[in-house]
Amino acid sequence: MHTLSLIGRAVGLALAGLPLAAVAQSATTLERVEVTGSRIRTLGATSSSPLTSIGKEEIQSSQPVAVEELIKGLPSAVPAMGPSTNNGATGAATLDLRGLGARRSLVLIDGRRMVPFDLDGQVDSNIIPVSLLRRIDLVTGGASAVYGADAVAGVSNFVLNRQFKGVELSSSLGRSGEGDAGRRRSDLTLGGEFADGRGHMVLSVGTTRTDPLLQGQRAYSQVGLSSTNGAPQGSGTGVPASIQIPSVAGLPAGTPSLANVQIEPGSGRLVAPYNSYNFNPLNYFVTPLDRRQATALATLNLSEQHSLYADLFYTRSGVVSNLAPSATFLNLYQVPIGNPFIPDAARAQICQVRGIAAADCVAGPAGTTEVPMAIGRRFTEWGPRIIDFSTRTQQVTVGAKGQINDRWSYDAYLSDGETTQTQTRIQWGSNARVQQALRAFNTSSCSVTTNGCVPLNVFGAEGSITSQMLGFVDLNAILLTRVTQKVLAASVSGDLGEFKSPWSTDPIGLAFGAESREVFAANRSDSASQVLGEVLGTGAPRPDRSGTIEFKELYAEANVPLLARLPMAHKLGLELGYRHTQMTTRGQTEYGSWKIGGDWEPVAGLRLRLMDQRATRAPNTNELFAPNTTGLSNLPVDPCQGNRINAAEANTAGSLSNLCRLTGVPLAAFGVLPAPSAGQINNTSGGNPLLSPEVASTQTVGLVLQPAALRGLVLSLDYYKIELDKAISAPSVTDVLSDCYDPARNPSLGVNGACGLVQRGPLGTFNGASSPGVLTPQSNLGRIWTSGFDLSAYYPLQLKQLGLDGWGNVDLSLNATVVRDYSVQTTPQAVKRDCLGYYSVACNNANQSATVGGTGYAPKLKFTQRATWNLGDFSLGYNWRYIGKMAEEPGGTTFLPAYSTIKAVSYVDLSAAWRVNKMLRLNLSVNNAFDKQPPIVGNNIGSTGVNGGNTFPTVYDVMGRYFTLGVTLKL
C-alpha cells in the first residue's frame, strides 16, 4: 500500500488519536495514495470515515508482545478474548471495535484479509508481525462496501514496512514488580534488493514467550468471593465430596433429606454442606504464550509500470489455560450401597432415605442395591486441568500490480491461507470409567474388571484417591480445528482526468473490483469428546462438523470533488460506494452494501465529514452448522433454590413453587435445592442453518480542525451511530430465566416459551452432565444499538515557542470516546437491555452469539492521553489510560453494595528511549507505574469468560507494575 512520505513521517510522530486523513490535507506535493477505508488511489486522498492511526514510535515505546495489547486499550475498542481469558480461552487473541464482538471487526494486513483461526470467522491477532509494523489504521465505522462482510464495527488494518533495508535485531524482556509474569520477545529482520535492484525483499523471524500468572499469585484473588455477600465462595464440587441423593416416595414424616449434603470425615455422616472448594489459586490470570513467527515480503519490478509481489506469513503458537482440578462435577452415578468406601454412618442414612432394608444395607457383595447419587468430588490429588492450544497459521499471497496509464492502476492477487489448531485436554478424566470404578464391592477390584479397573474412593478425605485410581479414570481429549480461506481479487483504480466538476480542479476518483472468497472450516474430535458428558466437566458432546461458505462480489467506489477554492467551499466532495454479494452455503443469498458520504471544507483548516453506510455480515460456519454443545454461564442464585419454594405450594397455580415443579425441580428437592455450584450453571447452544446476513446502519458526522495559527495542531470530533438489525444473537441466561421466573416478565407464573428453554437435571439443578442447563437458541431476531462521540487531538509543541530554545519538543495527544448508547435486545420478546455503564452476566454477553462468549463492557467515558518529550537522542513519555466508572446492572439479583459499583480507574504508563548511536536504541517502559490494583467485585457478578479472580481481568490490570527493557540494533 503506497502512502505519502509526508504521511509516513507524520504518523511516525503521531500518537494514538492522530487522524491520518487530516495530516494528508497538509501535503504540498501529492502522489496517488490509498487510505484505509477506500480502494481508490487518487491525489490528496482523505477519508470521510473516522480514521485513527497508531504510529511506529508509539508501538516501540509500548513494547507489546502482541498487537492485542495496543488495540484493546483504545477508547473505541473493547477487550476481547486474549491472554486474560482463561475459562473460555480459545488459544487466540481477538480484536473488538465498538463492543459489537470480534466477529464484527475485520482484521487486514496491508488491506488484505487474513485467514480466520476458528469456525466463528475470527482472526487471531497473534499472527501480526509486531517487528514489521509501520502503523496501525483503525476505521471505526462500517466498511462493508469497501472490504465486504465482517466490517460492521470497523476495520483494523496493519500496515507493514515493505521497504525495510538492512539488518535489525530487537529483543525485549519484561517482568512484573512482583518478579513474575515474565515476557521475552526477540526478532530478526533483514531487508534488501535483489535482481540488480529490480526487486526488494524483507524477511522477519521472531520468537515470543510469556510466563503465566496464577490467580493465587495475587493477594486479592487467592480466595474466590461471592458477589452477593462478599464471603469466600468456592465450588460445591470439592473435598470431602458433596452428594445429592433423591428420597423415595412414601417415607415416614420427618425423614431427613439428603438432597444437598456433604461427608463429614470424622464421623462419616452426611451433614449439611460446610465446606466449598476454592478454585481460584490454580486458575490463570494471564495465560502463557509460546510463539514462533516468520514473515517474508517480496516485490519484483518487471518494468517501470508493472511489478509482481508475494507475501508469506507463518505463525506457530502455543497457549495453555489452567483450570481447577477435574472432578465428578455432581454428575449422576449409580452406586451400589455395598461400595466399600461408603462410611458406615453415611450408608445408614442413605438406606433410610432410599427405603433399603437393613439386611441389604451392608458393605460388600450383599449390598447390591444401586443408589442414584450426584457426586461432587474434586480430584485435588491430580493437579489442575490443562487445555493446550497448538495453532499453526500460514498464508501465501501472490499478486501483480502496476499502471495501466498515467491515470489508472491495477492490483490483482491470489491469497491462500490455512489455520490448524489442536486442542488437548489433559487430566480431565472419563465419566464412564468413574461409573465403572464406583461399581465395586471391595477395595481391590471392580464388578466389571475390563481395562484394568481400579475402585475409586470418592467418599474419603483428601489423599484418599491414589495415583492408581487416577490412572484408571485418566482421559486426555483431543479436538482439531481446520480453517482454509482462498481469495481471488482484482481491482482497478484511477480518475476520469478532465471529466470533472467545472468548479473543482481535482479529478473524479474511481475504483472497481471483483472478489471471490471461499472459506472452509471444520472441527473433528476424538470418540470420547463425541459422547455426552464422557469427558468430565465438558457437558454436551462435540460432534464433528464442517461447512463451506463462498462469496462472489463486485464493487465500485467513487470520490467526486464538487467544489474547490470558492467562498465557503475551499473543498466539497462526495464519496460513494456499492458492493454486491452473492453468498452460497447450502443455499444462495444475494445482498448489497453501500456507502454515501462527503467532505466539506468551508475554509482551509476546517473540514466537516459525514458518512452513511449499510454494512453487512454473513453468518459464519459455527453460527450456521454448530451442533448444540454445553458450556458454562454464571448464575449466583437459582430462582428455585433453598427456601424460595416450598412443597405446600407445589401444585398451586400461579405460584413460584408450582412453576419450579413444572420446570423440573422434583418434590424431594423443595426447600433444599442447592445454589449453583461455584455460581455457575450449564448453558447449551448451537448453530442455526436458517440464519441470514446481519444488516447494520452506520452514520458518522465529524469535524476536523487544523488552525494555521497553531502549526501541527489537529483536532477532530466525530459522532457515530450504529444500529445492527437482524443481529445473529442468542438470549442471555439472564433473559431466559427472567422471562420464565420473574413475575414482572411472566405475571401468571405459568409455563411460557422461555420456560421451555429451562432444562434441569434429574435432581432439579443446572449442574452435572445430565443437565443441559439453560438453552440459548440462535436467531436473526436480535438488535444492537450503540452511539457516541470520538474526540482526538494532536499537537507537536516546539518548546522554543515557550522560550525554551534547545529543549526539543513535546508531542501531545488525546484520544477519547464518550458512549451515549449501548443497548441490546436479543429477541423481540426480550427486554431491551441498557448496558451503557453497566456490568452483569447479560451485559457482558451483549455481543455474544450461541457459539462465541460475550465480552461487552461499555463505560461512558474512556480515554488515553499521551505526552512524549523528545530531546536529541532521548525521549521520555507517559500514557494516561482512563476507564470510566461502572455499575452493576439494575434489577435482578441483589449484590453486595461494595461490588455493585466500580469507580473510574486511571493507569499511568511511563516510557523512555535512548538512541545511543545510529545502530543502537534502548527502550524502557513501566506500565501501571503506580501499581494500581483492579477493582474487586467477586466471582459471579459478570459472565464466566470475563469475570474471574474476583475482578474483570480482561478490562483491568491484574499484573500490577510492569517493567520492560528493550534493545534494538540496526546494521
Side-chain angles (χ1 to χ4, degrees), residues 513-526:
E515 183 173 312
S516 174
R517 179 161 50 98
E518 178 184 285
V519 181
F520 168 80
N523 271 93
R524 295 182 60 193
S525 54
D526 57 17

Side-chain angles (χ1 to χ4, degrees), residues 61-65 69-70 175-177 183 866 879 881 907-911 924-932 957 959-964:
S61 65
S62 300
Q63 302 191 86
V65 297
E69 296 176 44
L70 294 169
R175 192 165 295 274
S176 79
R183 307 196 306 180
R866 179 181 291 270
N879 181 34
R881 295 178 282 137
Y907 297 106
V908 175
D909 306 327
L910 304 178
S911 63
L924 174 66
S925 59
V926 184
N927 286 354
N928 191 5
F930 298 112
D931 200 24
K932 180 160 291 187
D957 189 301
M959 290 195 291
R961 185 183 294 115
Y962 199 89
F963 300 88
T964 303

Side-chain angles (χ1 to χ4, degrees), residues 774-799:
V774 176
L775 309 185
T776 50
Q778 199 162 224
S779 72
N780 272 115
L781 301 176
R783 300 186 70 187
I784 302 177
W785 300 262
T786 187
S787 64
F789 293 90
D790 291 327
L791 172 65
S792 294
Y794 171 74
Y795 184 49
L797 174 64
Q798 300 295 325
L799 292 181

